Amino acid sequence: MQTSPAHAAHHDEREIETLEDFDATVSARGTLAGYRVQAVDLTDRTRELLTTDTAEAVFLGCPMREEAATKVRADGALVFPPVPHLPFDPYRGHLYTPDELFASLEKGYEQTPDALAYAWFQRTKADGDIFASMLRAVHDDSISDALDELLRGARVVGVMGGHAMARGTDAYAGAARLGRELSRAGFVVATGGGPGAMEAANLGAYAAPYEDGMLEEACQLLAKSPSFVPSITEWARAAFEVRTRWPKGNHSIGIPTWFYGHEPPNPFASHIAKYFANATREDGLLARSNAGVVFLPGAAGTVQEIFDNATPNYYESRGEPTPMVLVDHTHWTEHLPAWPLLQSLARERSMESRIALVDRIEEAPAALKRLGG
C-alpha cells in the first residue's frame, strides 16, 4: 500500500481491471489470449475486440456490443455478462471507497448504494435463491482478490473493538490516537470497518499526516452525532464534513459486512472491503493482520475475534504467531476474563512471547513493537 492503490501493479499479470490496462495490453501485447478482464466497460472497444485474439480469455461482467460478444465467444473466450438491476457489481476489480458506498447521501442514507445492497441482501436471503447466493459468493471473492492486491507487501495491524463506543468519549479519542500512532509508524490500520472503536481507529489513521490538533477538532465536530442511532444519515454527514475540511487523510482499510445491516461502514477508511458473508470477512480481517492485532474493550464480537486470532497462532497454521495486544486490564481480566484463558492457551508455546495485556491505549504501539521483535 506504499503506492497509490490505483497503480497497484502487483496483481496477477493476466488480470485487466481498468480501461487503461486494457488499452495498454492490446497495444503492447497485441493479444488478449488467456487474459482475465474484470468489470471493464468495453462498449467502445468493439474494433479492438474484433481484431484481437481472445482465445481462452475470460470476460467477467464487461459490457460489450453484441457483435463483439459473438466474436470473442467464437474465439473460445468465456463471457459472463453483467447482471442487470443489481445494486452492486459482483465482478468488481477494486475495493469500495466511502464516496461510492455513500453516493446519494444527500437524499438520505436509505438511497445510498450501501443501503440498497443491504435491502437486496435481505430480500434474496429470505427466498433462498441459488442465483443470488452465487452472486454474493462471486462478489465476496472479487473483494478478497482486490484486498490481496492492495495489501501485497504492506505491514497490517488490525484494531478490533466494539461498535458501541460513542463519538465524543475519552475511549473514542484514545482509539483514534492509537490509529494515528500506528499509521505514523508505517503500519496500515485495518478494522472491521463499522462505527465505534472501528471508526475511531480509521479516523486516527486518516488524521496521521495532519498536526496533532486536527484530531481533537475532528473529534469535537463528530461529537455532534455521537452514534449511528437514530440517524445513519446525520452520523455519516458529520464524517464527510470532517473529510471535506481535511481532505488529504492517510490510507487505511475497513472490512465491514452487510450481514449486520443495521451497522453502516465508516467513511474514514479509504478502502472498504465490504462482504456479504460475515465468516469470510472475520477470517479475512485477522488473516491479513500480519503485523499483529490490538483488541480494545468490546463484547461478544471482540471476544470471538480474540480466539479466532489465537487459534492459528496456537497451531501456527499461518506460520509464526503474530502479536496480540489486549487493552484494558479490568475489562479483560474481570468483566470478560479472556486474558487468563489466552495466557493458559499460550503457555509453553511459541505464541507465549507474542501476547500482552496493557492498561492504556497509549501503551499498545510499544507493546506491538516489542512483541514483533
Side-chain angles (χ1 to χ4, degrees), residues 320-343:
E320 269 196 42
T322 50
M324 296 177 68
V325 179
L326 277 60
V327 176
D328 191 333
H329 198 277
T330 309
H331 187 82
W332 295 121
T333 59
E334 292 171 30
H335 299 323
L336 296 171
W339 174 250
L341 179 52
L342 185 62
Q343 266 188 311

Side-chain angles (χ1 to χ4, degrees), residues 32 35 55 64 72-73 89 103 125 131 135 142 145 159 162 170 256 290 305 329 340 351 365:
L32 290 165
Y35 276 83
M64 60 176 80
V72 302
R73 284 197 185 100
D89 179 359
K125 198 173 60 171
F131 182 54
L135 291 173
S142 301
D145 182 59
V159 179
D170 289 348
N290 56 9
E305 285 161 345
H329 198 277
M351 72 181 275

Side-chain angles (χ1 to χ4, degrees), residues 65-235:
R65 299 200 191 281
E66 199 46 57
E67 56 179 316
T70 304
K71 182 265 179 189
V72 302
R73 284 197 185 100
D75 278 354
L78 270 178
V79 179
F80 292 80
V83 182
H85 314 305
L86 269 190
F88 62 94
D89 179 359
Y91 303 112
R92 56 180 301 122
H94 303 280
L95 298 184
Y96 293 99
T97 64
D99 291 329
E100 191 180 352
L101 286 176
F102 285 101
S104 308
L105 183 65
E106 68 283 353
K107 296 181 194 150
Y109 172 72
E110 293 65 36
Q111 300 301 312
T112 63
D114 186 60
L116 297 172
Y118 175 63
W120 175 89
F121 180 30
Q122 288 300 93
R123 236 181 8 257
T124 57
K125 198 173 60 171
D127 60 20
D129 176 14
I130 178 69
F131 182 54
S133 65
M134 185 195 81
L135 291 173
R136 293 197 294 269
V138 169
H139 169 275
D140 285 2
D141 196 64
S142 301
I143 290 293
S144 290
D145 182 59
L147 191 55
D148 285 337
E149 286 167 7
L150 184 76
L151 293 179
R152 201 154 296 160
R155 289 157 67 229
V156 181
V157 172
V159 179
M160 310 294 149
H163 62 235
M165 186 186 282
R167 292 166 170 176
T169 59
D170 289 348
Y172 184 96
R177 286 194 300 273
L178 171 68
R180 182 175 68 185
E181 186 86 11
L182 292 169
S183 191
R184 285 178 177 172
F187 295 110
V188 174
V189 172
T191 76
M198 299 173 271
E199 179 186 63
N202 287 128
L203 166 66
Y206 187 89
Y210 289 95
E211 295 285 315
D212 286 2
M214 170 266 174
L215 186 55
E216 284 165 40
E217 276 189 73
C219 285
Q220 280 169 2
L221 275 175
L222 292 169
K224 294 185 306 193
S225 306
S227 169
F228 62 98
V229 181
S231 168
I232 295 176
T233 306
E234 292 310 312
W235 173 87

Side-chain angles (χ1 to χ4, degrees), residues 27-81:
S27 74
R29 303 276 164 88
T31 179
L32 290 165
Y35 276 83
R36 312 292 186 240
V37 191
Q38 201 175 335
V40 180
D41 187 343
L42 300 174
T43 317
D44 296 333
R45 293 295 182 273
T46 304
R47 188 174 55 83
E48 289 77 357
L49 290 169
L50 291 178
T51 55
T52 308
D53 181 16
T54 56
E56 292 184 13
V58 179
F59 294 88
L60 297 165
C62 299
M64 60 176 80
R65 299 200 191 281
E66 199 46 57
E67 56 179 316
T70 304
K71 182 265 179 189
V72 302
R73 284 197 185 100
D75 278 354
L78 270 178
V79 179
F80 292 80

Side-chain angles (χ1 to χ4, degrees), residues 278-302:
N278 188 43
T280 312
R281 165 246 189 177
E282 290 272 356
D283 189 60
L285 174 52
L286 294 165
R288 289 176 180 86
S289 297
N290 56 9
V293 182
V294 179
F295 297 91
L296 300 174
T302 312

